[in-house]
């Protein structure tokens, strides 16, 4: 039974009077749309075969003439047209039409920036608050001091790569239904450099780099905290093929303090008072980040009261002043009393009573004393 074949002009979606350029444009568009590497629809491969067959006929003046006259093109087999596309990927089609070079190959031979490095630095609580200048020692890869990065013992020990003739690229000409195109790949012999080393440098073994320890000074600004990163530009690994060096990131961690705790730009501390100090009031000395200072405790201060010392906290990293120190009072109830202390406390408790009832303004303190004695 005879098979009906679709019209080639209809397959490409062009008029019978279409020019060679119109046919080429239509084929490009449809080839991109239905190429099996790009289009996963069920009938994409079949459509691509038809598009390929139609283009092979209509793009050839003689075959197109025979097709227009007789409805067929001598020697054109349906399967033959697609054979040329086996292993021919979508990226290859793009390169064939738009430049004919291998993008990944070009990228490998271009200048490459150096790798960034990390250094972990621990600070004391006060160093983080007020800032400090630190000296650190960093181990990193640097340009070889003997060969200056050439990798060769002497400049004359560098020869042109014979595999690529110094270009760093190997070109292979391939034939396809699109015509002839050139595939460009990085030379495997010289890795895209275009040169080979005859006698490697004795210090770096031809790598052009050596591991060295370098001492750097790092200025830590006031107000840093755990996890703060300080960037030292161009202090990372050197680049290759003229690329810029990487950066060094100093990551900070802050030790805990025996007296202080930090919350953003505020410093938290706790002061402990006995019952007499809380009831009668007192003037006490407390530690701050700037040294000791006096704090006045009003009579009747309750446990949990917070006093604010303005400007005694952490400087803001962005220069917006300094935070406060927040001092929380804790009233310590004695767990053991001597007999004399117990007698005095009972006598004190009696002074709060009037006809068996405590005045309303004395009731709170009386209850606290009673609770302290009874546990």
């Amino acid at each position: 039974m005879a098979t009906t074949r679709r019209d080639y002009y209809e397959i490409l979606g062009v008029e019978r009077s279409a020019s060679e350029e119109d046919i080429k444009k239509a084929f490009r568009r449809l080839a991109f749309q239905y190429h099996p590497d790009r289009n996963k629809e069920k009938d994409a491969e079949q459509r691509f075969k038809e598009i390929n067959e139609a283009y092979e006929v209509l793009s050839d003046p003689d075959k197109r003439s025979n097709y227009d006259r007789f409805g067929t093109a001598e020697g054109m087999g349906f399967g033959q047209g697609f054979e040329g596309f086996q292993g021919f990927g979508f990226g290859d089609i793009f390169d064939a039409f738009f430049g004919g070079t291998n993008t990944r190959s070009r990228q490998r031979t271009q200048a490459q920036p150096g790798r960034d490095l990390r250094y972990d630095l621990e600070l004391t609580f006060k160093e983080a608050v007020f800032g400090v200048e630190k000296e650190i020692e960093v181990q990193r890869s640097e340009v070889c001091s003997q060969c200056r990065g050439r990798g060769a013992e002497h400049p004359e020990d560098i020869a042109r790569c014979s595999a690529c003739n110094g270009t760093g690229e190997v070109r292979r000409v391939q034939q396809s239904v699109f015509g002839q195109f050139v595939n460009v790949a990085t030379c495997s012999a010289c890795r895209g450099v275009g040169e080979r080393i005859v006698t490697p440098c004795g210090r770096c073994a031809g790598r052009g780099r050596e591991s060295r320890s370098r001492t750097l000074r790092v200025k830590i600004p006031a107000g840093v905290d755990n996890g703060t990163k300080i960037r030292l530009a161009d202090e990372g690994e050197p680049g290759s093929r003229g690329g810029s060096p990487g950066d060094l990131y100093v990551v900070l961690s802050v030790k805990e303090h025996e007296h202080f705790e930090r919350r953003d730009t505020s410093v938290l501390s706790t002061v402990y008072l006995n019952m007499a100090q809380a009831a009668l009031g007192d003037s006490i000395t407390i530690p701050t980040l700037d040294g000791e200072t006096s704090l006045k405790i009003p009579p009747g201060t309750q446990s949990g009261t917070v006093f604010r010392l303005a400007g005694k906290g952490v400087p803001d990293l962005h220069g917006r002043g300094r935070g406060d120190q927040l001092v929380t009072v804790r009233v310590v109830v004695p767990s053991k009393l001597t007999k004399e202390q117990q007698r005095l406390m009972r006598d004190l408790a009696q002074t709060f009573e009037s006809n068996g009832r405590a005045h309303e303004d004395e009731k709170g303190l009386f209850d606290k004393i009673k609770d302290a004695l009874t546990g």
Side-chain angles (χ1 to χ4, degrees):
M1 183 176 180
T3 302
T4 302
R5 180 174 295 176
R6 288 181 60 194
D7 182 86
Y8 289 152
Y9 292 100
E10 180 186 345
I11 291 172
L12 295 183
V14 296
E15 300 292 335
R16 300 186 74 86
S17 59
S19 65
E20 291 183 11
E21 186 62 27
D22 291 336
I23 291 173
K24 184 180 292 187
K25 287 181 180 179
F27 171 68
R28 288 179 182 177
R29 178 176 55 80
L30 294 171
F32 275 96
Q33 181 179 351
Y34 289 101
H35 194 284
D37 287 353
R38 186 173 186 267
N39 193 320
K40 301 303 179 183
E41 293 181 6
K42 187 176 181 180
D43 62 341
E45 183 174 331
Q46 180 63 30
R47 289 280 288 121
F48 186 75
K49 289 180 180 180
E50 293 178 349
I51 294 163
N52 175 42
E53 181 182 0
Y55 179 70
E56 287 202 54
V57 173
L58 299 184
S59 62
D60 185 291
D62 293 334
K63 292 175 182 177
R64 182 178 179 182
S65 178
N66 287 336
Y67 180 74
D68 290 341
R69 293 176 62 190
F70 308 111
T72 183
E74 191 66 28
M76 283 296 295
F78 182 74
Q80 177 185 353
F82 191 65
E83 287 300 320
F85 281 85
Q86 299 302 320
F88 195 64
F90 182 72
D92 299 317
I93 291 179
F94 189 87
D95 286 341
F97 276 121
F98 300 101
T101 58
N102 188 309
T103 302
R104 286 168 294 186
S105 172
R106 291 197 303 272
Q107 290 174 341
R108 283 194 295 267
T109 57
Q110 289 175 349
Q112 298 294 324
R115 186 167 60 95
D116 292 337
L117 298 178
R118 169 177 173 149
Y119 186 93
D120 294 306
L121 179 62
E122 187 177 59
L123 303 176
T124 66
F125 192 91
K126 285 193 174 182
E127 285 175 338
V129 170
F130 295 114
V132 69
E133 190 169 293
K134 287 282 190 176
E135 199 171 79
I136 63 174
E137 191 170 310
V138 180
Q139 193 77 21
R140 67 185 183 187
S141 172
E142 295 191 358
V143 174
C144 177
S145 58
Q146 181 168 312
C147 69
R148 306 295 182 185
R150 295 187 304 266
E153 192 69 30
H154 303 286
E156 56 269 23
D157 290 327
I158 301 176
R160 178 183 295 180
C161 176
S162 57
C164 65
N165 198 29
T167 64
E169 298 177 338
V170 177
R171 297 171 177 264
R172 291 189 295 271
V173 179
Q174 294 182 345
Q175 297 287 341
S176 75
V177 295
F178 296 101
Q180 187 182 68
F181 74 97
V182 179
N183 183 33
V184 182
T186 300
C187 177
S188 58
C190 67
R191 297 181 180 178
V193 178
E195 299 173 334
R196 62 182 182 85
I197 298 174
V198 179
T199 306
C201 170
R203 187 176 184 87
C204 66
R207 292 188 295 271
R209 300 187 182 191
E210 60 178 325
S211 180
R212 296 181 64 186
S213 179
R214 182 175 291 273
T215 300
L216 302 172
R217 295 194 68 82
V218 186
K219 187 174 182 180
I220 311 297
V224 296
D225 202 354
N226 278 310
T228 299
K229 293 181 181 179
I230 297 177
R231 173 176 168 265
L232 301 183
D234 299 336
E235 293 293 352
E237 299 274 340
S240 59
R241 302 187 185 94
S244 60
D247 300 327
L248 172 64
Y249 288 89
V250 180
V251 182
L252 306 178
S253 61
V254 183
K255 294 180 182 178
E256 293 184 356
H257 196 277
E258 58 179 330
H259 298 304
F260 307 119
E261 183 181 343
R262 179 173 174 175
R263 183 183 298 161
D264 298 326
T265 59
S266 296
V267 170
L268 313 182
S269 64
T270 303
V271 62
Y272 297 92
L273 306 177
N274 60 44
M275 294 172 59
Q277 287 176 305
L280 302 175
D282 199 359
S283 181
I284 62 174
T285 300
I286 64 168
T288 72
L289 292 171
D290 302 298
E292 292 185 339
T293 190
S294 178
L295 177 65
K296 186 175 182 180
I297 305 296
T301 296
Q302 304 297 306
S303 188
T305 300
V306 178
F307 294 95
R308 182 183 299 272
L309 303 181
K312 295 293 185 180
V314 180
D316 183 83
L317 258 179
H318 306 288
R320 294 190 289 263
R322 188 172 170 183
D324 304 327
Q325 180 173 339
L326 305 179
V327 184
T328 302
V329 170
R330 298 296 180 198
V331 179
V332 179
V333 177
S335 58
K336 291 184 180 180
L337 295 173
T338 65
K339 290 183 178 180
E340 179 64 16
Q341 288 173 331
Q342 291 181 25
R343 184 186 66 78
L344 292 172
M345 291 294 284
R346 289 193 185 97
D347 290 344
L348 177 62
Q350 291 296 322
T351 65
F352 294 118
E353 294 183 343
S354 176
N355 297 325
R357 294 179 60 85
H359 296 293
E360 290 299 324
D361 57 347
E362 298 172 343
K363 186 74 162 46
L365 181 58
F366 175 74
D367 287 342
K368 289 181 175 58
I369 296 174
K370 181 179 179 182
D371 292 340
L373 294 175
T374 60

